[in-house]
């Protein structure tokens, strides 16, 4: 089973038996809220991305990718040598280089705002950089096909959306609890995939072993 946005909308309305205008208008919000809970709760290797860019000499700022959720590593290439910048607080960088005109090979970075990284020292050249980060995939709401989540974890997405939808309806607490439990059960299995299976191979650790029943 997998969902497109159209089939997921139909499923939510079928489960809740609700086609009221305001409810239908909020269906995209229910789906996106469920996706946000999943992305913020599970570290999936599939949602990691590498992008390359370059610093601009004498500019202490670098634009943050619009889909970034968290940084894994920030690599800089200098004279053919690759090194990694260390993440620090903005206050540390301001104290380290109180004068933005102090230039050199960058050593540190900080998240300055939702749009920019702050770099220190200020780059003295247009160094090439590579950012490895956890990104926010395109929402199912914004695509006409399926997403990885709707194709590979459809029940997690369905019950997460139903929890949001039935909460909006101020529905019966026992039903809300059922949807929440189904969502959390699916989320637990997804965490097992992303944080225990996806990042280990059988060559190093062998196949999982469980007691015989």
């Amino acid at each position: 089973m997998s969902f497109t946005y159209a089939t997921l909308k139909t499923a939510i309305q079928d489960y809740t038996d609700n086609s009221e205008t305001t409810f239908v208008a909020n269906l995209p919000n229910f789906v996106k809220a469920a996706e946000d809970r999943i992305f913020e709760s599970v570290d999936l290797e599939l949602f990691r991305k590498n992008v390359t860019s370059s610093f601009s000499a004498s500019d202490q700022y670098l634009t943050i990718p619009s889909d970034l959720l968290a940084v894994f590593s920030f690599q800089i290439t200098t004279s053919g040598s690759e090194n990694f910048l260390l993440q620090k607080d903005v206050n540390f960088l301001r104290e380290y280089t109180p004068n933005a005109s102090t230039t050199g090979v960058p050593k540190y970075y900080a998240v300055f705002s939702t749009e920019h990284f702050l770099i220190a020292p200020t780059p003295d050249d247009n160094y090439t950089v590579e950012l490895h980060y956890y990104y926010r995939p395109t929402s199912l709401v914004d695509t006409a096909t399926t997403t990885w989540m709707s194709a590979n974890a459809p029940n997690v997405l369905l019950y997460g959306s139903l929890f949001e939808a039935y909460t909006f309806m101020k529905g019966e607490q026992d039903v809300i609890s059922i949807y929440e439990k189904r969502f959390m059960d699916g989320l637990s299995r997804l965490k097992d995939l992303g944080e225990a299976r996806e990042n280990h191979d059988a060559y190093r650790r062998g196949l999982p072993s469980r007691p015989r029943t």
Side-chain angles (χ1 to χ4, degrees):
M1 178 182 69
S2 62
F3 287 115
T4 63
Y5 179 48
T7 57
L8 181 57
K9 285 197 301 181
T10 299
I12 295 170
Q13 290 179 263
D14 289 345
Y15 272 75
T16 58
D17 192 24
N18 193 341
S19 57
E20 189 268 330
T21 302
T22 304
F23 177 82
V24 173
N26 277 280
L27 285 173
N29 297 330
F30 305 150
V31 175
K32 287 187 175 182
E35 289 174 330
D36 284 344
R37 289 187 68 184
I38 296 168
F39 296 143
E40 292 168 4
S41 301
V42 184
D43 183 8
L44 289 164
E45 296 274 353
L46 293 161
F47 298 139
R48 297 189 179 198
K49 180 186 289 189
N50 284 67
V51 294
T52 57
S53 184
S54 61
F55 292 134
S56 296
S58 301
D59 185 355
Q60 62 181 153
Y61 298 101
L62 182 69
T63 300
I64 291 178
S66 60
D67 59 355
L68 181 142
L69 289 176
V71 177
F72 290 115
S73 65
F74 202 154
Q75 185 182 75
I76 179 173
T77 301
T78 58
S79 302
S81 177
E82 297 177 345
N83 297 290
F84 291 89
L85 302 185
L86 298 179
Q87 184 174 20
K88 296 290 185 178
D89 185 76
V90 171
N91 294 327
F92 176 91
L93 268 62
R94 292 301 193 201
E95 185 176 12
Y96 179 72
T97 52
N99 189 340
S101 62
T102 302
T103 63
V105 177
K107 295 181 179 180
Y108 307 106
Y109 76 97
V111 177
F112 182 75
S113 68
T114 58
E115 298 179 346
H116 293 94
F117 290 117
L118 179 65
I119 310 300
T122 300
D124 60 358
D125 202 350
N126 300 329
Y127 298 108
T128 298
V129 293
E130 182 176 353
L131 184 67
H132 181 47
Y133 66 97
Y134 190 55
Y135 76 100
R136 182 185 301 280
T138 301
S139 171
L140 181 65
V141 174
D142 300 320
T143 179
T145 58
T146 61
T147 63
W148 186 93
M149 193 67 65
S150 72
N152 294 278
N155 285 331
V156 185
L157 187 55
L158 171 62
Y159 285 107
S161 301
L162 286 171
F163 172 79
E164 300 294 337
Y166 210 63
T167 300
F168 174 86
M169 292 170 57
K170 301 177 178 61
E172 297 294 331
Q173 186 58 48
D174 58 339
V175 177
I176 292 178
S177 297
I178 290 172
Y179 289 154
E180 175 74 349
K181 183 179 185 304
R182 292 286 184 89
F183 172 71
M184 295 306 296
D185 287 347
L187 193 66
S188 177
R189 291 191 293 272
L190 197 58
K191 285 178 70 69
D192 182 58
L193 169 66
E195 299 169 16
R197 298 182 184 183
E198 190 180 50
N199 52 11
H200 296 100
D201 60 36
Y203 177 78
R204 291 177 295 169
R205 296 175 178 266
L207 294 173
S209 177
R210 293 184 174 88
R212 180 176 296 176
T213 58

